[in-house]
Amino acid sequence: PTASTVLADGSIVEMLYRPEEHRTCLCIFKDGSIRIEGMITDGDRPLVPYSAQNNLLVHEVVLFPSEPVEYGTEEDLVSEIRAFIHAYADVSPLFETIASHYVLFSWVYDSFNELPYLRVRGDTGSGKTRCLMTIGSLCYKPIFASGASTVSPIFRILDSFRGTLIVDEGDFRFSDEKAEIVKILNNGNARGFPVLRSEATNGGKEFDPRAYSVFGPKMIATRNYFEDRALETRCLTEETGGRKLRDDIPLNLDVEWKIRGLDLRNKLLMFRFRNHGTHRSEEHTSELQSPCN
């Protein structure tokens, strides 16, 4: 099973999930043409999408697009992303701009070797979770991990889906999980620093080391600053709770929020198809890295 890959001939493969049809499929983009298949081959290796009955898909732990959709210009797409964020989350105008472009960046992050994280910091009731849900739902293959999650499945899911980790880190503060999640965050902003784990084999009689890739964009909500100063510098942070929340923010995320979010993910999929691998210049890389320095 595969959630996404780039084939040797340059074809970009992305998984689609259509819950109303109870099915998943693979969308292949090559030289401007798009086709949808139930299975493809990469050399002599067959590739299939994850099952529509997969627990992570059914419970919306990982979100996918359903089809690629035209989006107009990149300016139109950024404006639509920002309007979505503004409608459902109360953040500063500057962070709206940063988050809108971070969403775009997350869909082509694998063209880069380093990346920053988005972080929302504030006390209970300041709107952190709403920010995570709203902005995170638009990112590339968002993986929602609650504070009750243990770290072991997190790095395994990251390795399998290679998406954007959305996590409320605050609940890890008073347990050994804190050290583990910080390892993922410290290793995950640069390519080539996987998490190493020993896996039991041969009925538990032997242990083999395995590397899990945790590189990728991440969005985090915390109540406090990180004790690790290096990790602090990797975050683009919005401070919440400094003002009264806007009255026009809906109290609940309704069906319209899901529909608008899916529509934007579909447009962002087309953005990925057209822009993957085209943002490798040092000029773009330095622009993305500079806010973290």
Side-chain angles (χ1 to χ4, degrees):
T2 184
S4 64
T5 189
V6 179
L7 304 181
D9 65 357
S11 298
I12 303 173
V13 181
E14 292 291 334
M15 193 182 96
L16 305 179
Y17 176 45
R18 296 172 176 174
E20 70 283 353
E21 300 176 10
H22 305 289
R23 75 183 184 102
T24 56
C25 49
L26 296 176
C27 186
I28 303 95
F29 178 86
K30 172 67 172 169
D31 297 331
S33 65
I34 295 173
R35 73 180 198 273
I36 296 175
E37 304 283 354
M39 183 189 74
I40 61 173
T41 56
D42 182 16
D44 59 353
R45 183 172 63 115
L47 300 179
V48 297
Y50 283 85
S51 167
Q53 284 72 47
N54 184 287
N55 188 267
L56 298 177
L57 274 64
V58 171
H59 292 281
E60 299 182 336
V61 175
V62 187
L63 301 181
F64 289 88
S66 61
E67 61 179 337
V69 171
E70 288 291 341
Y71 56 85
T73 66
E74 289 189 15
E75 290 77 12
D76 294 336
L77 185 56
V78 170
S79 295
E80 194 171 350
I81 293 170
R82 183 165 184 170
F84 180 84
I85 295 172
H86 185 80
Y88 294 102
D90 189 2
V91 295
S92 67
L94 175 60
F95 196 72
E96 278 185 4
T97 301
I98 292 173
S100 299
H101 286 86
Y102 192 86
V103 167
L104 281 184
F105 169 68
S106 73
W107 284 80
V108 292
Y109 85 90
D110 46 338
S111 295
F112 297 84
N113 291 321
E114 296 179 353
L115 50 78
Y117 302 146
L118 280 191
R119 195 262 295 269
V120 182
R121 196 193 74 83
D123 207 349
T124 303
S126 60
K128 299 191 305 298
T129 300
R130 176 61 64 86
C131 289
L132 289 182
M133 294 295 296
T134 301
I135 300 170
S137 67
L138 303 183
C139 290
Y140 180 56
K141 288 182 294 188
I143 302 164
F144 291 93
S146 71
S149 306
T150 58
V151 173
S152 178
I154 291 178
F155 62 74
R156 286 175 166 83
I157 294 172
L158 279 173
D159 183 77
S160 297
F161 289 95
R162 308 294 174 101
T164 304
L165 179 63
I166 315 294
V167 61
D168 185 353
E169 194 273 337
D171 289 336
F172 289 99
R173 292 198 317 276
F174 303 112
S175 71
D176 292 338
E177 299 293 341
K178 175 183 179 180
E180 296 297 319
I181 195 70
V182 169
K183 289 177 184 177
I184 289 178
L185 298 178
N186 275 331
N187 288 18
N189 81 304
R191 191 187 301 276
F193 293 95
V195 171
L196 301 178
R197 285 290 184 273
S198 292
E199 299 289 330
T201 60
N202 194 20
K205 298 178 181 179
E206 299 178 4
F207 290 89
D208 291 333
R210 179 177 172 183
Y212 291 90
S213 173
V214 293
F215 173 64
K218 296 170 182 63
M219 188 173 181
I220 317 152
T222 64
R223 295 184 186 180
N224 298 302
Y225 293 104
F226 289 113
E227 295 176 6
D228 189 322
R229 291 176 61 87
L231 182 53
E232 275 290 328
T233 66
R234 295 172 181 143
C235 298
L236 307 175
T237 301
E238 169 79 344
E239 302 282 350
T240 62
R243 64 185 185 280
K244 183 179 180 295
L245 294 176
R246 295 194 340 255
D247 294 332
D248 61 323
I249 300 292
L251 293 177
N252 299 300
L253 297 177
D254 53 14
V255 174
E256 182 184 0
W257 172 81
K258 283 190 174 184
I259 294 173
R260 290 181 64 183
L262 176 59
D263 180 61
L264 275 168
R265 287 196 301 276
N266 290 342
K267 293 177 179 179
L268 285 159
L269 175 60
M270 184 65 79
F271 171 83
R272 173 173 171 81
F273 284 157
R274 290 178 175 162
N275 292 275
H276 182 271
T278 65
H279 295 72
R280 295 180 182 274
S281 70
E282 291 186 3
E283 177 184 355
H284 283 86
T285 304
S286 62
E287 287 175 359
L288 285 164
Q289 291 176 348
S290 61
C292 304
N293 295 333

